[in-house]
Amino acid sequence: SQTIHQWPATLVQPVGSPLSLECTVEGTSNPNLYWYRQAAGRGLQLLFYSVGIGQISSEVPQNLSASRPQDRQFILSSKKLLLSDSGFYLCAWSETWTSYEQYFGPGTRLTVT
Amino acid sequence: KNQVEQSPQSLIILEGKNCTLQCNYTVSPFSNLRWYKQDTGRGPVSLTIMTFSENTKSNGRYTATLDADTKQSSLHITASQLSDSASYICVVSGYNTDKLIFGTGTRLQVFP
C-alpha cells in the first residue's frame, strides 16, 4: 500500500531564516506530487506541483521554491522566511494525469516568529 | 473565476443528530467533486468522489449529493458521533486537469 510522509510535524522558525520541508511517498512510482499551504480560516492553496523528477510548476509567486531530486521525494524550501509564510503545509500525491484522487500527508505546522 | 463556496462556515450539533453541509461551485467545465474530512492538525482524507453523472454517493454515515445543473453539492451526516468533529472540505476539479479548487470548509463540532 502507498504511504506519504512529511517532516517535521511542527516547526518554529524566526523571520529571515531558511526552510526545508520534506515529503516522501512509498509504494508507488512516478506519482504527481503537490505542495499546499493552508492558512488559518482559508482554503488549501496549491503552491507547487510536479509530474516528474526535476519538473516543478509554481502556482503562485512567492519566496518559496520546490525541488524533486528523486521520483518520490518532494522538498519545499525558502532562503528567508516571512511572517506570512506561517501556516499548515500539506504534501499530496496522485497517480498520473487522469487520477481522480489525491492523497494527503499528515502536514507540517510552520510558525514564523 | 473558478470558485467553491461552502456553508455554513461552522456548525455545532449534538451527538446523534443529523446535519447537512452545503457546497456551491462555479468551476467549468466540471469534472468531479470531492468531499474531504480534515481532523485538526491532520491532512484531509477523502470521503466521496462524484463525477458529473453521479447524483448521490454514500460512505457509511456520510451521503453526498450532486446537482451538476445548479452546481450544488451537499454532504449529509447521519447519527453524528463525537469523532465527526472536524472540518469538511468541498473540492472541485475541472475537466482534463488534476488541479483542485478547494472550498474553505465547514467546521463541525459534535457535542455529547
Side-chain angles (χ1 to χ4, degrees):
Chain A
S1 63
Q2 301 88 359
T3 56
I4 179 169
H5 304 278
Q6 284 185 246
W7 64 90
T10 60
L11 190 59
V12 180
Q13 293 282 96
V15 168
S17 63
L19 173 73
S20 180
L21 303 181
E22 189 164 345
C23 170
T24 59
V25 181
E26 297 177 354
T28 187
S29 295
N30 195 31
N32 287 353
L33 296 173
Y34 310 83
W35 276 114
Y36 290 91
R37 177 169 60 201
Q38 187 176 36
R42 305 281 297 276
L44 273 73
Q45 178 187 35
L46 179 63
L47 302 175
F48 300 94
Y49 69 96
S50 171
V51 299
I53 296 174
Q55 301 177 62
I56 308 295
S57 296
S58 174
E59 287 295 297
V60 291
Q62 58 214 324
N63 69 320
L64 300 172
S65 62
S67 62
R68 185 171 177 174
Q70 301 180 44
D71 181 45
R72 288 166 288 178
Q73 183 185 30
F74 206 23
I75 298 172
L76 182 69
S77 304
S78 174
K79 292 182 179 179
K80 289 185 178 181
L81 283 169
L82 306 172
L83 285 175
S84 59
D85 292 324
S86 294
F88 191 51
Y89 288 82
L90 287 158
C91 180
W93 74 273
S94 67
E95 293 176 354
T96 54
W97 182 252
T98 58
S99 172
Y100 284 157
E101 184 64 89
Q102 284 192 16
Y103 302 91
F104 288 86
T108 294
R109 172 71 60 189
L110 172 66
T111 302
V112 182
T113 61
Chain B
K1 182 179 179 181
N2 291 326
Q3 287 185 315
V4 176
E5 296 183 350
Q6 293 186 243
S7 62
Q9 190 173 17
S10 62
L11 183 62
I12 297 174
I13 62 173
L14 294 177
E15 186 179 14
K17 298 297 184 181
N18 304 335
C19 67
T20 300
L21 314 180
Q22 300 291 340
C23 173
N24 297 334
Y25 62 93
T26 59
V27 179
S28 181
F30 170 82
S31 175
N32 61 80
L33 183 146
R34 315 145 192 236
W35 283 94
Y36 282 88
K37 178 185 179 186
Q38 185 178 20
D39 293 317
T40 301
R42 306 289 295 275
V45 175
S46 179
L47 295 175
T48 65
I49 299 176
M50 292 184 292
T51 64
F52 67 92
S53 61
E54 297 176 289
N55 300 119
T56 185
K57 182 167 282 190
S58 293
N59 178 359
R61 295 179 296 103
Y62 302 101
T63 299
T65 65
L66 173 65
D67 186 334
D69 292 330
T70 61
K71 294 184 169 59
Q72 295 179 327
S73 175
S74 65
L75 180 69
H76 186 75
I77 304 175
T78 303
S80 61
Q81 300 176 359
L82 298 179
S83 59
D84 292 331
S85 295
S87 288
Y88 291 84
I89 303 172
C90 177
V91 186
V92 179
S93 177
Y95 181 74
N96 203 31
T97 176
D98 57 356
K99 297 181 186 179
L100 307 179
I101 311 297
F102 288 80
T104 55
T106 292
R107 175 67 182 165
L108 175 66
Q109 293 178 275
V110 181
F111 287 136

